Every structure is written in C-alpha cells, then in structure tokens.
Amino acid sequence: RDLFGIQIVRPVGSPGTSLTLPSTPTLSPDEVPECISLRDPALIPVDRDAIGGYWLLFTCIESAMPPRQIHAVRVSRALEIVQEGGGPMRRVVLDADELGPFAAAGIRAPEPVVSFAEDGLRLRVWFLAQSTPGDWAVALAEARTHDTALLQLDVPEPQPFPVNPILSNDSTLVLSGCVADQCNITGIAVTPRADDPSRLRFLLARRLKESAGDETFQLIPLEQTWSTP
C-alpha cells in the first residue's frame, strides 16, 4: 500500500514565521506512528475567522485493513503543527469501533462543517462508512457545545446521527440513472451555501457501470435544507 503524508503550503498573508518549507510535509506518519499512511485531509477553523488556526482532520491508515479511525491534529494560523506533550496536539474524532454496525468494516474521508453562533458552536462531520467491505455509504456525526472557545484546545466529540447511514448504495439518489442498479458511492463533499445558511450543497461521487461493461465516475450535485441551531 502506498504511504502518504499531508503537505500544506503557507498562504499569502499568513504570519511569516513558519518553519515549514514547501518541500517538507506538514504532517507525516513519522509524527503519528500508529498511522502508516494519512489520507483525506480536511480543515476546520478553531474560531469564526480562523485567527487561532485550524484542526486538520484526516483518515488514519493503520495497516492493510480498511481504515477505522479519523484523527485531528491542531495547526496554527501559519499552518504549523501545534505541539503537546512532545508530539502533535492530536485527537481521535471518530472510531469505527464506537459507531455501530453501519461502520463495522471501516470509516474514511471526513467532510466537516462548523457553525459558530452566539449560543455556541455546532460541528457536523459527514464521512464514508462501510458495514461490509467495499459497500461504502455516507454517514453523519454531530457535536454541539455552548463553549465557543473549546475548539482552541479540543474537538467536541461528534455523536453519530440516530439513523445512519444517511445515504447508501441502495438509495434512490445514488441509483438514479444506473444500469442494473450497479452504482457505488466513492466520495462526498459538502459546504454551506453562502447565500442561504439553511441549505447545504453536496457533491456525491459515484462509480457507474455502463451497459457495455465499462466503468465511469461521476459527481452528482445534491442540496439539503438544514435548520440552524
């Protein structure tokens, strides 16, 4: 299996004291020894304007088996790893062993959305989960807290949605246009709509088997109404 680290290049206008050179990985398996490879990076700001930096979420590949954990490492505004106790400031965000049967065969690919409000913050994490090997579905976990400063030091523990998975290979949205019901979920992307905070926009990635036996990959746009806290 190929090994991957995660590299982030310092953006224009960020603090100029970064020690990370463009050729140096921001995070590699050397800093997270139980993960032989790091995949699917995603960033969430620790405050409304990301002045304090970010949490970098990623899939932890522990062995040749399907991944079972999603981790987070704290990075500064300059995109440097924040240290804690002699190593990266790190948290386990989701663990397949604690999620239930829908994730029994592994999880990967976090897609977080964080919302800041006067009465607290809300963290939602969409991710891929499989109940049996190869049968990936979209799942959701959510955390809420009244302590808006919590993200500076920790990631509130997301709890799985009561009905997971929320989208599977048997769902009508996934099967639409498929030949002989042969479509499979391969990924998900999500973002709030800037013009309407009550709506979320998704891109669902799927693998489609065509009538001639060939395979093609598609991105399907979806939208969902979501009430604010």
Side-chain angles (χ1 to χ4, degrees):
R1 173 187 295 264
D2 293 336
L3 305 186
F4 290 84
I6 295 172
Q7 180 174 334
I8 308 173
V9 178
R10 189 172 73 246
V12 176
S14 69
T17 57
S18 171
L19 299 177
T20 300
L21 301 176
S23 61
T24 304
T26 303
L27 186 68
S28 74
D30 291 338
E31 288 84 38
V32 192
E34 63 265 42
C35 305
I36 65 169
S37 192
L38 317 178
R39 312 286 179 95
D40 313 315
L43 291 170
I44 57 173
V46 301
D47 55 73
R48 191 184 302 271
D49 299 312
I51 300 300
Y54 305 86
W55 283 98
L56 168 61
L57 275 63
F58 60 93
T59 303
C60 170
I61 310 294
E62 293 185 282
S63 66
M65 302 296 289
R68 303 198 60 79
Q69 290 185 332
I70 291 170
H71 290 216
V73 166
R74 183 78 157 78
V75 297
S76 69
R77 185 181 172 210
L79 301 178
E80 292 287 333
I81 297 298
V82 175
Q83 299 294 313
E84 179 183 66
M89 187 175 181
R90 182 162 55 96
R91 305 289 185 265
V92 175
V93 178
L94 292 169
D95 189 325
D97 293 338
E98 300 174 0
L99 293 175
F102 73 93
I107 58 175
R108 64 179 178 88
E111 276 289 312
V113 171
V114 62
S115 304
F116 294 93
E118 293 182 359
D119 62 344
L121 65 88
R122 183 182 196 178
L123 172 64
R124 284 165 281 168
V125 183
W126 286 262
F127 58 100
L128 297 188
Q130 55 181 2
S131 57
T132 58
D135 188 23
W136 290 104
V138 178
L140 172 64
E142 181 184 57
R144 295 192 191 188
T145 176
H146 294 295
D147 183 5
T148 56
L150 175 65
L151 274 179
Q152 296 278 350
L153 299 174
D154 206 351
V155 180
E157 182 180 0
Q159 298 298 315
F161 195 62
V163 181
N164 265 323
I166 59 173
L167 199 60
S168 70
N169 291 325
D170 297 327
S171 303
T172 302
L173 289 171
V174 180
L175 292 176
S176 177
C178 292
V179 177
D181 295 342
Q182 295 187 50
C183 274
N184 298 99
I185 294 170
T186 60
I188 188 77
V190 58
T191 185
R193 274 183 48 169
D195 60 336
D196 186 351
S198 69
R199 298 188 70 81
L200 298 169
R201 182 156 287 172
F202 296 84
L203 278 177
L204 175 71
R206 71 178 185 179
R207 181 175 63 248
L208 174 96
K209 288 190 176 181
E210 299 178 315
S211 55
D214 297 330
E215 288 187 340
T216 187
F217 293 83
Q218 299 176 331
L219 297 176
I220 309 298
L222 304 173
E223 257 193 25
Q224 180 184 25
T225 299
W226 192 278
S227 61
T228 55

